[in-house]
Amino acid sequence: WLERRISLIERQAFLRTTMASTRLASWLYLSHAVVELGLGVIKLRGHYAHEDPATRPLHSQLYVRHHAAALLSLALLGWLVWRRGLVGTETGAIASASLALFHTGAVLANAYAWLQGAVQPSKIFMPHMPFAVGFLWHASVGGDEREKSD
């Protein structure tokens, strides 16, 4: 009897922890979708915010719009995972691993550019660092809570 009672208590504690981490990850996904949507829409103009649109060659505008399409696709991925209730599932953990790779890569690219004197140090930390850390965390603790709770 005692072993079953302890097992039940452990299961309930696990479910509370899993539900709390899923709520936190849900906010991560929703905020990510909003930020990437906003940045993607801005970049559809064909130039970055700090640039004069007249100075960027037409062919180069293609790359900014390509960047916009990438951001919009990441926003859509995050929104779909959130909207369909997949954050606490294995699908959510897999999406988090993919989003973590993108944002970690962006942090490393900005760090390398900073070392070369091309960007300010703030570009290393914002906006990619919080998302990189958040999605790395979720990819490591995520998983199918329905499987674990059965």
Side-chain angles (χ1 to χ4, degrees):
W1 175 86
L2 183 59
E3 286 179 13
R4 280 188 286 175
R5 180 71 179 143
I6 291 171
S7 176
L8 179 62
I9 291 169
E10 288 174 345
R11 173 184 256 160
Q12 289 171 340
F14 171 79
L15 288 175
R16 279 193 300 275
T17 303
T18 301
M19 289 169 51
S21 65
T22 298
R23 280 193 299 272
L24 180 60
S26 290
W27 280 108
L28 173 69
Y29 268 88
L30 189 56
S31 64
H32 177 264
V34 169
V35 168
E36 296 294 17
L37 176 65
L39 293 174
V41 167
I42 289 169
K43 287 171 177 54
L44 284 174
R45 300 174 304 175
H47 63 90
Y48 295 102
H50 64 277
E51 295 177 329
D52 177 8
T55 62
R56 185 171 273 278
L58 291 177
H59 185 74
S60 185
Q61 291 178 23
L62 162 76
Y63 295 106
V64 179
R65 290 188 178 107
H66 184 259
H67 186 197
L71 296 180
L72 292 171
S73 69
L74 294 175
L76 179 62
L77 172 63
W79 184 80
L80 288 173
V81 168
W82 177 80
R83 179 70 175 96
R84 294 183 178 195
L86 298 172
V87 173
T89 68
E90 185 177 5
T91 300
I94 292 168
S96 286
S98 179
L99 292 167
L101 177 63
F102 172 81
H103 287 288
T104 302
V107 167
L108 294 174
N110 281 312
Y112 182 70
W114 172 71
L115 288 172
Q116 294 180 320
V119 298
Q120 297 295 319
S122 62
K123 292 299 269 181
I124 298 171
F125 302 105
M126 292 304 286
H128 297 288
M129 180 75 77
F131 289 127
V133 171
F135 287 120
L136 283 168
W137 162 77
H138 186 249
S140 68
V141 301
D144 196 335
E145 67 185 27
R146 287 174 286 209
E147 282 181 5
K148 293 177 184 174
S149 65
D150 289 339

